[in-house]
Amino acid sequence: MVIKLRGKRKPIALVEDVLRHSIADKIGIKSGDIINKINGNVLRDIIDYQYFSADGELDLEWETMEGKVHTAFITKDDDEDLGIRFTAAVFDGIQSCRNHCIFCFVDQMPKKHRKSLYVKDDDYRMSFLYGNYITLTNLREEDYERIIAERLSPLYISIHAVDARLREKLLGHPDETPILENLQRLAAGRISMHGQIVLCPGMNDGEALEETITAIAGLGDAFSSLALVPVGLTRYQKEPTLRLYRREEAQAVLAAVERWQRKFLEERGSRFLYASDEFYLFAEKEIPPEEEYEGYPQIENGVGLIRQFWEDFDYEKENLPHSFHTDRSIRLISGIDGEKALRKIVAELKKKPGLDIEIVPVKNDFFGETVTVTGLLTGEDIIEAIKQEPKGKRLYLLPDVLLKHGENLLLDDVSVEEIRERTGCEIKVVAADALGLIDQISSLG
């Protein structure tokens, strides 16, 4: 099989690294080279690479940084990896979003920061590979054909509403085909999906939400889960109709979720519908027990993160020392929501003799105080919060979710080293999970 390219941009499969002693290393492929073809196929993305390199016999063509083209015939075990790592998952550019969602977080960003913050990813390949949510509004016929033919599943779909006029209002862009028709096509192609609905008070909740849930549930087993997430707003948002959920409104959403969960549990054997942790914080309600999350199918969407953290802590806490002998106080850097989740953990840690530990909740001045999640804190706001702390020998722990992938930079391009220098404090980055926290604290015992 040889694929035909229909896009305008020529794919560039740029090699980032080659594993030592791998097949690619042995035939001379190096970082900076470009893989042109495998068995005559130009690679559009890492999916193509994995698919076409799985054969036992390969004709490989690549180009060096100097522009020299090399070829090699390779025999190997089926599915044996060539040992190539690429600079990006897609080689012909990310399929960007063409919507203008009234709640788009990228549009609520301040200007003049690094370009990656303003990328609007709406690429079905990133959905398949990494669980990114897509709207389906930019898919071409050839995309649907590939998704179904190659069984690129599961996909993660941003639905928001099934009513055509309401969805057009929310997305700022009309669907060429009603979303239900597209979802039905994917379902008929045996594509598994997870869905999300970003809820905006007074817009797509209430009766509109009931309609949307009913329609998605009507697709049967094609959808594995559906998550409700409250709209997030920064100080830069300009849509006058948007606001955050009030406590009573959040409670009403959760009441609807619980009602639907009872129905789905009886009919499907699964709760199917879940609310993100933020709804429970807004509603000032208890986080559900672990069994109600049924394996956390929407954990990356903030559904059950707090419960999972608590459960992991309970499992790992036996590894903590019985007492501590250290002259350093521990301070946990957190957003406002994270502080609420950490209270229970810190209360238990403080029972350990010799352990002085507290939370430093950081208000988000960069995005505005309506943004309360830890992952969107910036270096400047953290520096200001630390400067307000009393003087003393303290170790500040920063969760790694604050950092740009693969670098020591926060969202505002302030580095961890700069935070150290400007505060004069000891700073350590830890994994943003219970095990990372326990490992770091245990090292002080």
Side-chain angles (χ1 to χ4, degrees), residues 80-304:
E80 182 182 358
D81 186 33
L82 295 177
I84 301 172
R85 300 296 177 262
F86 295 95
T87 58
V90 297
F91 309 147
D92 55 357
I94 291 286
Q95 290 186 11
S96 61
C97 182
R98 62 181 186 179
N99 305 312
H100 302 282
C101 297
I102 61 174
F103 48 75
C104 177
F105 203 85
V106 174
D107 289 342
Q108 298 182 58
M109 294 280 295
K111 306 302 180 185
K112 298 181 180 179
H113 287 276
R114 62 174 179 263
K115 291 182 179 180
S116 61
L117 295 178
Y118 307 100
V119 173
K120 292 186 178 183
D121 165 24
D122 200 16
D123 196 313
Y124 71 91
R125 298 167 297 181
M126 303 297 280
S127 183
F128 168 66
L129 290 168
Y130 304 117
N132 297 2
Y133 274 89
I134 57 174
T135 64
L136 304 181
T137 58
N138 67 354
L139 261 63
R140 302 161 296 182
E141 176 63 23
E142 63 205 70
D143 296 326
Y144 280 106
E145 291 175 359
R146 183 189 184 192
I147 289 169
I148 293 171
E150 298 183 19
R151 201 62 58 80
L152 302 184
S153 175
L155 293 179
Y156 295 77
I157 314 297
S158 288
I159 301 161
H160 310 320
V162 294
D163 178 85
R165 290 185 178 179
L166 177 55
R167 192 166 196 261
E168 179 179 346
K169 178 180 179 181
L170 293 168
L171 298 185
H173 186 280
D175 285 330
E176 294 180 5
T177 305
I179 186 172
L180 266 181
E181 290 186 24
N182 289 328
L183 296 177
Q184 288 164 351
R185 179 178 183 180
L186 292 172
R190 297 167 60 191
I191 300 300
S192 174
M193 292 168 277
H194 296 273
Q196 77 162 355
I197 301 172
V198 175
L199 284 181
C200 305
M203 297 183 69
N204 60 335
D205 50 10
E207 292 183 6
L209 177 60
E210 297 288 320
E211 178 187 12
T212 301
I213 295 173
T214 300
I216 299 305
L219 294 170
D221 293 338
F223 266 85
S224 301
S225 68
L226 181 62
L228 307 184
V229 181
V231 62
L233 304 176
T234 78
R235 65 192 298 179
Y236 302 98
Q237 77 93 10
K238 299 177 181 178
E239 175 55 53
T241 61
L242 290 180
R243 59 175 176 80
L244 298 180
Y245 270 87
R246 303 185 181 103
R247 184 182 66 175
E248 295 78 10
E249 294 169 329
Q251 290 172 346
V253 169
L254 293 180
V257 168
E258 291 166 5
R259 170 170 49 80
W260 276 103
Q261 284 183 333
R262 290 191 295 269
K263 175 180 172 64
F264 289 138
L265 197 57
E266 180 179 345
E267 296 177 352
R268 302 169 63 111
S270 166
R271 289 172 178 81
F272 179 68
L273 178 69
Y274 307 92
S276 74
D277 293 357
E278 291 169 280
F279 269 119
Y280 291 94
L281 297 178
F282 284 153
E284 299 177 8
K285 290 196 66 174
E286 290 291 324
I287 300 293
E290 184 174 40
E291 59 268 20
E292 294 191 14
Y293 288 106
E294 300 180 2
Y296 302 104
Q298 293 260 5
I299 191 74
E300 298 297 331
N301 216 358
V303 178

